[in-house]
Amino acid sequence: MSTPDTLPPRWPVPPTRPAHDPALLARAMRDMRLTWRARGILAELAVGYIPGEEPTISELVSLTRDERLAAEGREAFRKAVGELRSLRYLSPDATAASGVGECLVVDLAPAAEACLVPQRYGHGLLADGS
């Protein structure tokens, strides 16, 4: 297994911040319709990649156990991507020539309808904001 210091990353971290609305990203990360696994994948894809160097879903799924440091299995990953697609957080990139569904586009618009955990009575801020 290689260490971060031995090889450059396959998908470098983009030099600029993603253009997503931070409030929608926060709502998406708290959307109770999503499993924790799906939220992690959405976060990974939402932070972005250098244009033209984005991985396909097949590339992410096919990472070896060593490369993913024994993280989620392939079926778990596929299931979480399906979950994100069903709620419209991910949709196929119609401009990609690599195959239907291979390149996915992140859309945080469904976060506007996110199911958030309600605040329980008596906890949190008072009406005056204190």
Side-chain angles (χ1 to χ4, degrees):
M1 176 174 4
S2 64
T3 63
D5 297 330
T6 60
L7 296 171
R10 185 183 302 180
W11 298 291
V13 176
T16 59
R17 292 177 13 172
H20 300 298
D21 177 347
L24 275 180
L25 182 58
R27 287 182 65 86
M29 291 299 103
R30 292 174 177 89
D31 190 343
M32 292 297 123
R33 299 174 298 174
L34 297 172
T35 61
W36 289 107
R37 178 181 295 133
R39 287 185 229 173
I41 291 169
L42 181 59
E44 164 71 23
L45 297 174
V47 296
Y49 296 91
I50 293 174
E53 296 188 28
E54 302 92 347
T56 64
I57 293 302
S58 290
E59 288 173 325
L60 292 174
V61 168
S62 69
L63 291 173
T64 67
R65 195 160 191 81
D66 280 348
E67 288 172 319
R68 49 189 173 83
L69 301 176
E72 305 294 351
R74 291 180 176 127
E75 278 307 307
F77 185 89
R78 284 188 186 107
K79 186 176 179 181
V81 168
E83 187 180 328
L84 292 165
R85 289 183 74 170
S86 72
L87 288 172
R88 303 178 331 272
Y89 279 108
L90 297 179
S91 60
D93 182 354
T95 64
S98 63
V100 176
E102 272 299 298
C103 294
L104 297 174
V105 176
V106 174
D107 182 4
L108 296 179
E113 303 163 6
C115 179
L116 305 177
V117 174
Q119 183 177 359
R120 293 204 167 118
Y121 182 77
H123 298 286
L125 299 176
L126 298 176
D128 67 357
S130 61

